[in-house]
Amino acid sequence: MSAHPTETDVLVVGAGPAGSAAAAWAGRSGLDVVLADAAVFPRDKTCGDGLTPRAVHELARLGLEDWLRAHAVNQGLRAHGFGQTLHLPWPGGTLPAWGSAVARTELDDHLRTTALKSGATGLDGARAVDVRREGDRVAAVVFKQGDDTFEIACRRLVVADGVRSPLGKVLGRAWHRETVYGVAGRSYVASDRADDPWISSHLELRGQDGKILSGYGWIFPLGNGEVNLGVGTLATAKRPTDIAVKPLMDFYASERREEFALTGDLRAKTSALLPMGGAVSNVAGRNWALVGDAAGCVNPLNGEGIDYGLETGRVLVDVMNDGGPDADLSATWPALLTEHYGEAFSIARRLAGLVTVPRLLPALGPVGMRSDWMMTLALRWMGNLVTDEDRDRAARVWRWAGRRSLAADHRPPFS
């Protein structure tokens, strides 16, 4: 007997939030599902670990609210910078009025377990290296597991293998760096404030030479005796970053050690490069589609990607179920991604790109930080907290700006 499945209705490659959400929803809809990943779980993932109310909403849809409430619960963002500290509660509305933070080692493992309990078959330690095509369809994915090479045939393929998306590249996915992208570093450190009900972000991030950088630092309490501490900077092809992220993270921690009662050394330091704002093309074919980070679904203004991963995993399964086994995803999926995220991604990456312009952040940062109202509005926009159901003035302004930004894009998101 084979030690691995040989065929399935839906093959999901990548067991992060996007892949596990897709596998869970597909399993619950009665489809035969295989959830494969190159790693053996539990495994780590470079991330800030923050869960915005939008991510909380998606996790609740999966039935995980009680599990999440047993972890860190936060009530909003504490924004620091330019001589000001503002406490900005999560706005609530159509989304929960609370957020959370769970280390990705635990979150991803629990989401994968949820997918398996929903009917998916798990395959660990199997790296997807190629596909076999029949005409314009992917008939099977080729895996390597140790010294073994084998195929799993599939009727549908969900590609959820992260920001680098090696399988996406095999299928033709391309990342376009002319729009803003992120470079981020993350660590864990013991803290006497690990139960702080606020997540903190320092919008005035300075290097050791005292110069303001185009990025921010964060400290997210995990409720387990540690905080997630990291830094992120923004760049474009025209204005690339030359910052050494891990030394910058060490410096940031030294500057915040007393204020945030950091009591140990930084551990598990990692860094990552983040395509953002749908800056990828060829995100779908006839019977396959990219979701989450693989599709560039990362917020250009805050680096958040978990909420988009959970959402795109769920929505893709809805599309597959509505269209039936022979529906063509090659045009449907990019159009749906653009409908859901195009406007917001377009204006967000345009605004984030402005941060990379020298001297602009030092000029505008102090003005924004002097206004609680302006920063509350920015939190809602930057935090991806405007939903399709929102009809208030702030939501209308955001959509109006997004439509005009999208119309002006040389390369719109997902194209």
Side-chain angles (χ1 to χ4, degrees), residues 312-349:
T312 53
R314 172 179 55 81
V315 172
L316 178 59
V317 172
D318 289 342
V319 171
M320 293 191 300
N321 286 333
D322 291 344
D326 296 321
D328 188 349
L329 299 174
S330 58
T332 303
W333 186 239
L336 194 59
L337 287 176
T338 301
E339 177 186 344
H340 275 261
Y341 305 122
E343 294 174 1
F345 277 174
S346 177
I347 185 62
R349 69 190 192 184

Side-chain angles (χ1 to χ4, degrees), residues 44-47 184-188 218 228-230 249 268-270:
D44 192 16
K45 171 73 187 297
T46 302
C47 184
R186 174 230 72 186
S187 66
Y188 295 105
W218 70 79
N228 181 308
L229 180 148
M249 193 159 48
K269 293 188 284 186
T270 61

Side-chain angles (χ1 to χ4, degrees), residues 10 51 77 79 191 200 222 226-227 245 251 263 276 291 342 347 366 375-376 390 395 409:
V10 179
L51 297 168
L77 172 70
S191 170
S200 286
L222 296 173
E226 290 190 318
V227 297
V245 174
F251 176 69
T263 58
M276 294 175 158
V291 292
I347 185 62
M375 290 302 297
T376 298
D390 292 334
D409 278 342

Side-chain angles (χ1 to χ4, degrees), residues 54-106:
R54 191 158 182 158
V56 168
H57 176 67
E58 285 295 319
L59 290 167
R61 294 181 74 144
L62 283 166
L64 302 180
E65 181 173 346
D66 289 344
W67 176 83
L68 195 57
R69 284 189 177 276
H71 294 74
V73 171
N74 57 64
Q75 60 194 55
L77 172 70
R78 183 191 294 114
H80 308 258
F82 307 101
Q84 304 287 328
T85 297
L86 304 177
H87 288 78
L88 309 171
W90 296 119
T94 56
L95 293 171
W98 59 284
S100 185
V102 180
R104 288 291 296 273
T105 302
E106 181 180 0

Side-chain angles (χ1 to χ4, degrees), residues 180 234-236 239 300-301 348-357 360:
V180 69
L234 299 170
T236 64
R239 291 184 287 273
L301 291 172
R349 69 190 192 184
R350 185 163 268 115
L351 292 174
L354 291 176
V355 176
T356 69
V357 176
L360 194 59

Side-chain angles (χ1 to χ4, degrees), residues 10-31 33-37 41 43 54-55 57-64 104 107-120 158-161 291-293 305-321 333 341:
V10 179
L11 175 58
V12 183
V13 175
S20 289
W25 290 116
R28 293 177 187 186
S29 69
L31 295 169
V33 186
V34 171
L35 176 60
D37 198 281
F41 281 68
R43 60 96 175 96
R54 191 158 182 158
H57 176 67
E58 285 295 319
L59 290 167
R61 294 181 74 144
L62 283 166
L64 302 180
R104 288 291 296 273
L107 176 70
D108 289 12
D109 190 51
H110 193 74
L111 281 169
R112 179 180 174 277
T113 299
T114 299
L116 301 186
K117 289 181 177 179
S118 299
V158 179
V159 182
D161 55 349
V291 292
D293 289 357
I306 297 174
D307 51 0
Y308 300 111
L310 295 168
E311 285 179 0
T312 53
R314 172 179 55 81
V315 172
L316 178 59
V317 172
D318 289 342
V319 171
M320 293 191 300
N321 286 333
W333 186 239
Y341 305 122

